[in-house]
Amino acid sequence: MSDNSKGKATSRRQFLSGAAAVGVGAVGSGAARAASPDPLITQVQEWAQATGEGVDATPYGLPIQFEKDVVRRNVEWLTADTISSINFTPIHALDGTITPQGCAFERHHSGAIELSKPDYRLMINGLVDTPLVFTYEDLERFPRENRVYFCECAANTGMEWAGAQLNGAQFTHGMIHNMEYSGVPLRTLLEEAGVKPAGKWIYVEGADASSNGRSIPLEKAMDDVLVAFKANGEALRKEHGYPVRLVVPGWEGNMWVKWLRRVEVTEMAIESREETSKYTDTLEDGTSRKWSWVMDAKSVVTSPSPQAPITHGPGPLVITGLAWSGRGSITGVDVSVDGGKNWVPARLAAPGTDKALTRFYLDYNWDGSEMLLQARAKDSSGYVQPTKAQLRDVRGENSIYHNNCIQTWWIKESGEAENVEVS
Ligand code: MTE
């Protein structure tokens, strides 16, 4: 948390005078209930009458049973099977910005493989002075960095182009995760091999059957790409590329090659191989945008939302969500409760950081009436997240990938929420 809590009294007063038009008001007060004889307070409960589990009951901890619904989910009709498929992060139920690996979305083209550290090899070849092979242990001996980045599949929100379709932030925006990666800059390894002047691209591939081969400009490879072997402090999970994956900050998830086995330095982008360059954005006139790698600024209200309805009456309501940009950091998020007619600035939980998720809050005094809830992100490049209509004007409705438009939730008087479009 930043020190936004300081000077609360002053900012609260400013809030009340400045934001009355959209009902932003008393922050938090009124959420507690008056003390009354509640058995949960006055009686000794079952869990206090016996001892609990000892320290070794769960050597590797799992979430408590009451949180069993906070899991990744897939949409069965989207893909023919679960091998070449995707599931979604339960962003509606998470807070903060770091995604636990256990519920971070997975996307495999040929399933998640098991590759041990002793069997792991990474080769760098092509236009280099000395082709090299690294073992896992070799990688651990290079100077290491820790960095937090989001990974968003280019298809995130892809089903929403033609109209509001999936009823939940998990399904509309959950092809994203945000982790702290530990690894070696790819630049360090490429410099070890010595890139020849003719080398302008790298072709990266994984050890799985699909290989997920992708071409990446050398400029990006030498900039901020990481060869990562830890996420959130622990080994990568099998489904996220154990033991080593590529982290390509701000760029679409399909370039983040898992089970990384080879980096070939090439003169040109390799497009001839069957598995390469499949991600394009088809426009209204039938032509396609190619190599739209960067993920533009985007945001979504995670709560309230269809899977996280309001379960209490009018009064204090924490509106919260996530914002991110592949072009830099989030500088601000605005929230609208009336479908984009009026906007108020949300509070960023911490200043936005480069190519990572930013958490925002709007401490709102809900009067119990329905809302058309939206969030709009701004990033350090000056870019402002577009409306759906603005995006369609430029891109039409034939695309699947790179849909970063403003999302609308219709919050009903009952507190339930629905995915809708506003004109
Ligand atoms: N790497 C390999 N080797 N095989 C794959 O199928 N899927 C890609 C990418 N890297 C893939 C891969 C795609 S399309 C995405 S969106 C991300 O991995 C998803 O990473 P995750 O499964 O850790 O969420």
Side-chain angles (χ1 to χ4, degrees):
M1 290 288 287
S2 71
D3 49 357
N4 275 332
S5 52
K6 288 182 198 157
K8 208 170 180 182
T10 333
S11 59
R12 186 179 300 178
R13 241 173 277 130
Q14 285 164 349
F15 234 15
L16 282 168
S17 61
V22 289
V24 175
V27 186
S29 63
R33 57 201 73 204
S36 61
D38 179 343
L40 282 167
I41 290 287
T42 56
Q43 288 170 19
V44 178
Q45 300 297 315
E46 192 190 318
W47 52 84
Q49 294 175 27
T51 54
E53 270 180 349
V55 290
D56 288 335
T58 321
Y60 191 95
L62 290 169
I64 195 164
Q65 50 164 324
F66 311 123
E67 299 295 317
K68 66 176 186 312
D69 288 339
V70 185
V71 289
R72 37 190 178 214
R73 291 194 164 83
N74 73 0
V75 172
E76 275 174 22
W77 52 261
L78 262 186
T79 52
D81 58 43
T82 56
I83 304 297
S84 180
S85 191
I86 189 148
N87 58 21
F88 302 84
T89 308
I91 51 171
H92 64 287
L94 302 177
D95 214 317
T97 55
I98 296 294
T99 318
Q101 286 199 71
C103 65
F105 88 95
E106 308 161 71
R107 168 77 176 108
H108 318 304
H109 291 88
S110 52
I113 57 164
E114 279 193 359
L115 174 57
S116 73
K117 286 178 186 171
D119 286 342
Y120 180 76
R121 296 290 183 274
L122 169 63
M123 179 163 89
I124 297 191
N125 70 327
L127 295 171
V128 290
D129 298 331
T130 321
L132 295 173
V133 171
F134 304 85
T135 64
Y136 184 85
E137 255 187 350
D138 294 337
L139 292 180
E140 282 189 312
R141 297 175 67 192
F142 284 92
R144 213 174 293 170
E145 294 184 11
N146 292 317
R147 297 196 237 129
V148 177
Y149 293 121
F150 75 81
C151 170
E152 183 183 18
C153 179
N156 200 18
T157 323
M159 281 78 76
E160 304 292 312
W161 275 106
Q165 175 141 238
L166 296 173
N167 217 20
Q170 176 168 23
F171 304 112
T172 55
H173 290 75
M175 292 182 194
I176 192 161
H177 51 61
N178 191 65
M179 304 191 198
E180 184 196 35
Y181 294 98
S182 309
V184 179
L186 179 58
R187 179 183 56 247
T188 307
L189 304 180
L190 287 169
E191 281 169 358
E192 188 82 2
V195 176
K196 293 198 158 135
K200 296 284 178 278
W201 291 78
I202 57 165
Y203 181 76
V204 283
E205 62 184 19
D208 54 328
S210 82
S211 94
N212 194 74
R214 293 287 179 272
S215 281
I216 300 176
L218 186 67
E219 204 183 342
K220 177 70 175 173
M222 298 300 257
D223 180 16
D224 54 5
V225 175
L226 272 185
V227 174
F229 34 81
K230 295 272 162 69
N232 302 339
E234 63 179 356
L236 287 163
R237 295 282 167 86
K238 170 173 88 176
E239 58 270 35
H240 300 301
Y242 181 95
V244 177
R245 88 171 303 166
L246 206 62
V247 167
V248 189
W251 287 28
E252 55 188 25
N254 69 74
M255 313 190 89
W256 294 47
V257 172
K258 301 188 277 193
W259 314 289
L260 180 69
R261 71 181 286 269
R262 200 167 71 85
V263 176
E264 179 183 339
V265 179
T266 60
E267 195 179 350
M268 318 259 274
I270 294 181
E271 294 183 75
S272 53
R273 291 179 202 166
E274 199 191 315
E275 65 277 20
T276 309
S277 298
K278 287 278 162 60
Y279 289 76
T280 54
D281 312 315
T282 304
L283 305 177
E284 205 58 39
D285 63 4
T287 61
S288 290
R289 297 195 317 170
K290 189 168 84 163
W291 292 340
S292 45
W293 299 303
V294 182
M295 302 310 293
D296 285 315
K298 189 164 165 179
S299 66
V300 65
V301 172
T302 51
S303 178
S305 64
Q307 297 158 288
I310 305 173
T311 53
H312 55 75
L317 169 70
V318 174
I319 296 174
T320 187
L322 293 165
W324 60 95
S325 170
R327 298 190 190 276
S329 57
I330 290 297
T331 51
V333 178
D334 298 320
V335 171
S336 173
V337 297
D338 55 11
K341 294 194 186 89
N342 296 285
W343 295 92
V344 281
R347 170 170 64 89
L348 303 188
T353 60
D354 195 39
K355 300 165 189 133
L357 291 191
T358 298
R359 169 68 57 182
F360 66 86
Y361 295 104
L362 183 70
D363 304 300
Y364 187 66
N365 195 8
W366 184 45
D367 63 6
S369 59
E370 59 179 22
M371 300 184 271
L372 288 171
L373 197 53
Q374 299 183 331
R376 178 178 69 185
K378 298 176 207 161
D379 73 14
S380 50
S381 74
Y383 179 91
V384 180
Q385 185 182 359
T387 62
K388 206 165 195 175
Q390 286 169 333
L391 204 61
R392 279 187 186 140
D393 280 349
V394 180
R395 305 263 305 279
E397 287 179 30
N398 293 330
S399 287
I400 297 173
Y401 305 114
H402 294 271
N403 180 351
N404 69 319
C405 73
I406 290 171
Q407 170 68 40
T408 311
W409 304 127
W410 172 30
I411 313 291
K412 303 174 192 177
E413 288 173 355
S414 63
E416 287 164 321
E418 208 175 291
N419 181 6
V420 293
E421 267 188 28
V422 290
S423 49

